[in-house]
Amino acid sequence: MSEETTSVDNGVNVQALLDAKAALTDAPDAAQFKWRASCEWLNGTHSKSSIEGFYGLGEEHKHRAEYDFESDHPLCFASEDNAATPVEIVLAGLAGCLTAGVAAVAQNRDIQLKSVKATLEAPMNIQGILGCDPDVRNGFDGITVNYEIDADASQEDIEALVAQSQKRSAVYDIISNPTNITVNAKKG
Amino acid sequence: MSRRSNGRPTRNIDVAVIGAGHAGLAISYCLAESAIDHVVLERGEIANSWRNERWDSLTLLTPNWQCKVPGHRYSGDDPDGFMPVPALIDFIDEYASVSAAPIETNTEVTSVRSHDEQYRVSTDDAEWQCRAVVIASGACNIPSVPAVAEAVPAAIQTVTPHDYHAPEQLDHGGVIVVGASATGLQLAEEIHRSGRPVTIATGEHVRMPRVYRGRDILWWLDRVGISDERYDEVDDVVRARRLPSPQLVGTPEKTTLDLNAMTAKGMKLVGRLMGFNNEVAQFSGSLKNVCSLADLKMNRMLKTIDEWVDDNADTSSFDPVERFEPTRVDESPPLTLDLNKEGIRTIIWATGFRPDYSWLDVPVLDHKGFIRHDGGVAESPGMYVIGLPMLRRRKSSFIHGVEDDARDLHAHLAEYLHH
């Protein structure tokens, strides 16, 4: 059914994804991935996280290069603002994940994308992180993502793209559902 | 001639059909038509699951005119009505008697093994040696309960649809119904009516109006060809087979059973149940998206209907095009619920069902415990399965869908026996 010729090209190799889905459905072990990051404190609230290797398909992999992500706090937090805050990097992760999904779903549905832009906003009451009020949570009160998509498709098709992208998004799931976190520490 | 195994007689037969529900009887009818020697083995009585594993108030969500199987159909005076379960049991009983199906009731299959291109079917009182087996033991033998059930606080009563009969059996106090399928919303509705406050935890669901442009929605699905979409033509058959049952209920008023109807009555809507932190239930933040997905899919279906009318019929013979209000979701639906503070006493798992193949000793199950099959033809030659959702067509999920499936599988089976 996916044999039809199409001129739609969003730069996503959908056939490879469909093949991977078919292959991994009956190979649950190969589908087990492990994502990794390391982080080193620089100074103050400034630190640098590095991402290089991950595990999947039964073996170790390396990215083409090591990718670094610095984070810091802004001047109004009495920090030096050397980089984005970690919570902004979370928004960037969500946006990157959803947007990749929009492109993949569009390709699969033969929709040519011309431009995809998202703006994200997440209100937060910092009484939580400051410890002013134990009833205020540390994290976001919610996240709003606004997409503006120019494509050869109806408004309804575009809404369906974005809905399907959320359904398949890892970061959307990570943020919208609870995840157990284990943090270990040792003197080194 | 019979050999003896463990002191029990072994009987030879061409085909053993396991289960005397509508699906087992339908294949039996087709086998009888072509004079193929067979037996129908039934663990309990005819239509056993309908007798013992359904709640008291249940009516079919398919209209009476859709109660049709090979050689038998509804003949009452209310074709557009909906049968309560006792009437369906009568219907299946009648089918068994008019078709004179060779049923052995109260005969539980304890194992099915294969050797030398034959099957050996052991029951609690006999051994059958046969060339083919048709598994018609149902899709809903075991309520599926999610892993988070392990973490439910001990003080909370948990109930599956198999344990549930009527609201009166539940503690007084709040109820969380987990799942927004036909089962979830039907139970939510009657529990709410009993005065117990209901919260519905919903993940993905299938929204449909009961009536569209003056006709039953299931009439439309048949008419526009959606019911006949084949398993080998849809994009993702695994997903199609896993879809929750559509949010439909069979009532004389032809009520639409959607989430807007639930919240209008005062029920609360939260996201999918994800876990518990002691007494606090945690819900997914994906509620808006699962509702959007369901609304968008419903609207695509309605558009397909409208296009069919434009192309094939006189528009004026149907009511005007209609679009329904999008599912209303609170701006910030609660992500947690303190069960103590909210007075929640009961959790109902309307989270689907799965078949029980614990007696099946032939290696045809996938890693999720489902039979690997191609439209009902199992991987093991001579083994067939019938009566599962989307087995061969979308309508396979419904009673009337079994007719085409039984005829197709009968043709395949007859050919197999012939060689």
Side-chain angles (χ1 to χ4, degrees):
Chain A
M1 276 192 299
S2 47
E3 293 298 318
E4 77 264 23
T5 51
T6 167
S7 56
V8 169
D9 183 6
N10 297 323
V12 180
N13 187 344
V14 165
Q15 195 53 49
L17 295 178
L18 294 174
D19 292 347
K21 178 180 176 179
L24 293 181
T25 299
D26 294 321
D29 290 343
Q32 294 298 326
F33 273 63
K34 285 175 186 161
W35 302 106
R36 302 186 182 117
S38 59
C39 179
E40 188 161 9
W41 172 62
L42 299 176
N43 184 45
T45 52
H46 186 200
S47 61
K48 185 178 88 171
S49 294
S50 304
I51 290 168
E52 190 179 16
F54 60 93
Y55 177 87
L57 306 174
E59 59 184 359
E60 291 293 331
H61 296 260
K62 269 196 167 152
H63 283 289
R64 286 192 297 139
E66 183 182 278
Y67 300 114
D68 293 337
F69 298 85
E70 292 183 27
S71 61
D72 200 356
H73 287 173
L75 298 176
C76 63
F77 279 24
S79 285
E80 290 178 357
D81 202 9
N82 289 302
T85 64
V87 297
E88 290 162 327
I89 294 171
V90 169
L91 292 181
L94 177 63
C97 194
L98 289 175
T99 305
V102 165
V105 176
Q107 184 76 50
N108 195 34
R109 295 184 178 178
D110 277 334
I111 296 173
Q112 179 64 54
L113 299 174
K114 292 172 187 160
S115 83
V116 180
K117 289 177 184 160
T119 52
L120 293 86
E121 188 171 84
M124 178 195 280
N125 181 348
I126 69 162
Q127 288 181 334
I129 52 177
L130 291 174
C132 310
D133 183 344
D135 292 332
V136 174
R137 72 181 282 186
N138 297 345
F140 300 142
D141 297 331
I143 302 175
T144 305
V145 185
N146 291 310
Y147 266 103
E148 197 174 307
I149 296 178
D150 184 9
D152 298 329
S154 66
Q155 169 69 25
E156 205 167 52
D157 287 345
I158 286 172
E159 286 175 26
L161 273 186
V162 173
Q164 182 67 16
S165 166
Q166 292 167 71
K167 184 180 148 182
R168 284 276 161 264
S169 163
V171 179
Y172 180 96
D173 174 81
I174 289 165
I175 296 174
S176 60
N177 297 320
T179 304
N180 284 317
I181 303 183
T182 308
V183 181
N184 303 311
K186 70 172 182 195
K187 187 176 159 70
Chain B
M1 278 289 88
S2 64
R3 289 173 291 154
R4 297 187 82 78
S5 167
N6 300 330
R8 306 193 312 175
T10 296
R11 296 154 76 179
N12 286 296
I13 196 149
D14 282 338
V15 184
V17 177
I18 301 171
H22 73 284
L25 295 176
I27 195 82
S28 165
Y29 182 90
C30 297
L31 293 169
E33 267 187 333
S34 55
I36 294 173
D37 188 24
H38 69 283
V39 63
V40 182
L41 302 170
E42 168 53 57
R43 67 184 156 140
E45 296 169 82
I46 292 163
N48 197 62
S49 305
W50 291 102
R51 284 176 205 274
N52 300 305
E53 295 166 2
R54 301 291 184 269
W55 63 94
D56 298 351
S57 68
L58 178 63
T59 58
L60 290 192
L61 55 76
T62 47
N64 290 335
W65 59 265
Q66 278 193 330
C67 279
K68 53 180 183 186
V69 284
H72 190 52
R73 57 168 54 226
Y74 174 81
S75 56
D77 55 7
D78 185 17
D80 295 321
F82 300 92
M83 265 183 217
V85 167
L88 177 70
I89 294 168
D90 290 346
F91 176 84
I92 299 174
D93 263 339
E94 266 167 46
Y95 186 33
S97 81
V98 297
S99 62
I103 308 173
E104 306 230 336
T105 52
N106 298 305
T107 301
E108 184 165 10
V109 171
T110 54
S111 119
V112 173
R113 282 159 292 156
S114 62
H115 68 106
D116 293 347
E117 299 184 1
Q118 297 260 326
Y119 292 96
R120 175 171 287 262
V121 178
S122 305
T123 72
D124 39 15
D125 62 6
E127 298 282 327
W128 294 86
Q129 181 87 4
C130 47
R131 294 182 59 204
V133 171
V134 182
I135 297 170
S137 50
C140 303
N141 308 127
I142 305 172
S144 296
V145 171
V148 336
E150 302 276 323
V152 175
I156 301 292
Q157 175 191 28
T158 60
V159 178
T160 71
H162 280 192
D163 313 323
Y164 176 86
H165 296 287
E168 294 67 44
Q169 81 190 81
L170 307 179
D171 287 351
H172 286 283
V175 177
I176 299 176
V177 174
V178 183
S181 60
T183 301
L185 296 199
Q186 290 180 21
L187 298 189
E189 208 275 336
E190 77 170 19
I191 293 167
H192 170 80
R193 259 191 288 127
S194 78
R196 293 164 177 81
V198 170
T199 301
I200 301 167
T202 180
E204 278 196 75
H205 53 272
V206 180
R207 182 181 179 194
M208 284 185 195
R210 178 78 261 181
V211 174
Y212 184 61
R213 301 187 69 175
R215 300 290 186 139
D216 194 277
I217 194 69
L218 296 180
W219 183 88
W220 283 116
L221 297 190
D222 279 5
R223 184 51 61 101
V224 306
I226 292 175
S227 300
D228 286 319
E229 280 174 5
R230 286 174 54 96
Y231 75 105
D232 49 6
E233 290 169 355
V234 298
D235 266 350
D236 185 345
V237 71
V238 175
R239 180 187 143 67
R241 285 180 175 151
R242 265 196 325 228
L243 275 184
S245 54
Q247 294 170 334
L248 290 174
V249 61
T251 62
E253 302 78 21
K254 311 215 185 312
T255 332
T256 286
L257 183 84
D258 61 13
L259 293 171
N260 282 348
M262 301 290 111
T263 50
K265 289 173 196 241
M267 288 175 247
K268 273 201 275 188
L269 207 54
V270 293
R272 183 172 177 205
L273 177 65
M274 298 306 295
F276 292 90
N277 190 354
N278 298 320
E279 305 296 316
V280 177
Q282 302 170 311
F283 305 102
S284 176
S286 63
L287 179 61
K288 282 179 195 168
N289 191 47
V290 293
C291 293
S292 298
L293 280 163
D295 290 349
L296 285 161
K297 278 179 197 148
M298 175 180 69
N299 286 336
R300 276 206 294 276
M301 179 184 71
L302 301 181
K303 194 172 159 211
T304 303
I305 293 172
D306 296 336
E307 287 169 354
W308 182 89
V309 172
D310 291 343
D311 295 347
N312 298 283
D314 176 9
T315 306
S316 65
S317 54
F318 299 105
D319 292 352
V321 170
E322 193 180 355
R323 287 296 176 269
F324 302 92
E325 187 191 358
T327 305
R328 293 184 301 270
V329 179
D330 290 346
E331 192 46 48
S332 296
L335 297 168
T336 58
L337 212 56
D338 185 315
L339 302 178
N340 281 344
K341 281 191 197 150
E342 299 290 328
I344 304 286
R345 302 292 312 134
T346 306
I347 292 176
I348 304 216
W349 301 115
T351 35
F353 301 91
R354 51 183 302 120
D356 177 8
Y357 299 126
S358 54
W359 43 269
L360 184 55
D361 300 315
V362 183
V364 289
L365 300 184
D366 66 18
H367 66 282
K368 305 274 273 187
F370 292 92
I371 294 178
R372 286 190 300 263
H373 67 90
D374 181 5
V377 180
E379 274 186 2
S380 178
M383 179 175 284
Y384 299 85
V385 56
I386 189 167
L388 299 181
M390 188 89 207
L391 184 83
R392 296 184 64 79
R393 298 168 177 84
R394 288 210 188 268
K395 67 182 176 189
S396 303
S397 312
F398 301 117
I399 288 174
H400 74 298
V402 86
E403 173 147 21
D404 288 351
D405 292 355
R407 298 222 180 268
D408 289 352
L409 291 179
H410 163 261
H412 192 287
L413 197 164
E415 176 80 11
Y416 173 78
L417 291 179
H418 191 65
H419 286 299

